[in-house]
């Protein structure tokens, strides 16, 4: 989504590089990606993920079915067809080829039980199964199709996040960066799936910004409370709002303003009032 083109993000990465330079490995800041490899226009095949699993397995543990992976996958364009996002008939997800690939993925997962897979390989195995479920959902012609796609992505994000926590928990607290909509404690997103497992170890700090917020909106009230930026306890903030307070309007494409109802899924809110919408990004 253009993450690297945003000046503030580049400055953060440069700062992290300098911060880590003179520190031993156990004291360095580490970064992990936990989102699903999907896009608004569709999703790739599980080719890359399954190939990584096959490469990890010793030759004598590779299932015979793996030899047919390339033929079953076929052309990558069959999987990445943008029309499949909105037209189930254009999706490969319920085809004989897709079912064959799912069988191969299951065989590879079973074979992994006989090895000592690294976290990296396990992540590829999770990704392959998640992508195949995502493609199957795209091929579904049910009224809740889009909700199914959102749900599969949320489950993939939650599984990755819990795996990262398990790996890094000895190092202390970690910071997770994603859109508010992914991390708020809501039934249908990653935060709602992770929070019951982590309990009070899972804290959500939502973020928002708007230098010209409208009166009567949550953003307008927060902008009136700070000239630059401030952190507000979510529970106290929610209790102080009148029932008529609503969410403001987006200020740039991709910005989804916080709604007062979102506060129930957060522990705190950071509001940035001095942004031009270009240097600082907050969703």
């Amino acid at each position: 989504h253009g993450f690297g083109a945003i000046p503030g993000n580049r400055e953060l990465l440069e700062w992290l590089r300098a911060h880590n330079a003179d520190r031993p490995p156990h004291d360095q800041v580490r970064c992990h990606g936990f989102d699903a490899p999907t896009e608004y226009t569709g999703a790739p095949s599980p080719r890359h993920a399954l190939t990584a699993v096959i490469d990890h397995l010793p030759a004598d543990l590779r299932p015979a079915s793996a030899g047919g992976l390339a033929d079953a996958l076929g052309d990558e364009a069959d999987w990445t067809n943008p029309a499949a996002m909105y037209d189930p008939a254009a999706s490969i997800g319920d085809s004989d080829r897709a079912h064959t690939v799912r069988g191969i993925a299951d065989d590879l997962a079973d074979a992994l039980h006989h090895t000592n897979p690294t976290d990296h390989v396990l992540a590829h195995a999770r990704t392959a199964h998640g992508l195949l479920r995502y493609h199957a959902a795209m091929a579904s012609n049910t009224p809740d199709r889009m909700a199914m796609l959102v749900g599969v992505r949320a489950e993939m994000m939650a599984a990755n996040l819990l795996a990262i926590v398990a790996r890094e928990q000895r190092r202390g607290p970690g910071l997770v960066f994603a859109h508010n909509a992914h991390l708020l404690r809501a039934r249908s997103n990653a935060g709602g799936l992770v929070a019951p497992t982590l309990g009070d170890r899972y804290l959500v700090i939502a973020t928002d910004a708007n230098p010209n917020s409208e009166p009567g909106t949550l953003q307008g009230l927060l902008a009136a409370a700070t000239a630059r930026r401030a952190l507000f306890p979510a529970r106290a903030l929610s209790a102080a709002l009148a029932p008529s307070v609503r969410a403001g309007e987006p200020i740039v494409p991709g910005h989804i303003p916080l709604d007062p109802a979102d506060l129930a899924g957060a522990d705190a809110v950071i509001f940035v009032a001095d942004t031009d919408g270009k240097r600082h990004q907050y969703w």
Side-chain angles (χ1 to χ4, degrees), residues 49-50 52-58 61-63 104-126 128-129:
L50 291 177
V53 175
I54 292 172
D55 289 345
H56 164 79
L57 291 171
L61 288 181
R62 293 176 185 174
I104 295 171
D106 288 341
D107 291 344
L108 290 171
D110 289 340
L112 281 181
H113 293 313
H114 301 286
T115 70
N116 185 25
T118 64
D119 292 335
H120 183 71
V121 172
L122 290 174
H124 279 301
R126 287 195 307 274
H129 277 95

Side-chain angles (χ1 to χ4, degrees), residues 184-185 202-206 231-236 263-269:
L184 291 168
R185 296 184 190 87
Y202 185 69
L203 301 176
V204 181
I205 302 176
L231 185 145
F232 302 86
R235 183 177 298 179
L263 298 177
D267 296 284
V269 174

Side-chain angles (χ1 to χ4, degrees), residues 133 150-160 190 193:
R133 291 181 58 216
V150 171
V152 172
R153 181 184 179 187
E155 290 170 12
M156 294 177 72
M157 294 177 76
N160 287 336
L193 296 172

Side-chain angles (χ1 to χ4, degrees), residues 116-251:
N116 185 25
T118 64
D119 292 335
H120 183 71
V121 172
L122 290 174
H124 279 301
R126 287 195 307 274
T127 298
H129 277 95
L131 283 173
L132 287 165
R133 291 181 58 216
Y134 196 84
H135 281 286
M138 279 199 287
S140 172
N141 197 20
T142 59
D144 62 345
R145 178 174 177 272
M146 294 306 295
M148 289 170 58
L149 291 173
V150 171
V152 172
R153 181 184 179 187
E155 290 170 12
M156 294 177 72
M157 294 177 76
N160 287 336
L161 186 52
L162 289 173
I164 293 167
V165 170
R167 174 178 174 175
E168 299 287 351
Q169 60 185 346
R170 294 182 181 178
R171 290 166 48 85
L175 174 66
V176 176
F177 173 81
H179 197 297
N180 292 327
H182 294 308
L183 297 179
L184 291 168
R185 296 184 190 87
R187 184 174 59 183
S188 61
N189 66 8
L193 296 172
V194 169
T197 299
L198 298 183
D200 58 8
R201 292 188 295 157
Y202 185 69
L203 301 176
V204 181
I205 302 176
T207 57
D208 204 351
N210 193 333
N212 300 302
S213 306
E214 301 175 8
T217 65
L218 173 60
Q219 291 70 26
L221 293 173
L222 296 179
T226 177
R228 296 193 63 213
R229 63 205 68 176
L231 185 145
F232 302 86
R235 183 177 298 179
L237 176 60
S238 180
L241 296 180
S244 60
V245 174
R246 66 187 190 284
E249 295 296 322
I251 60 173

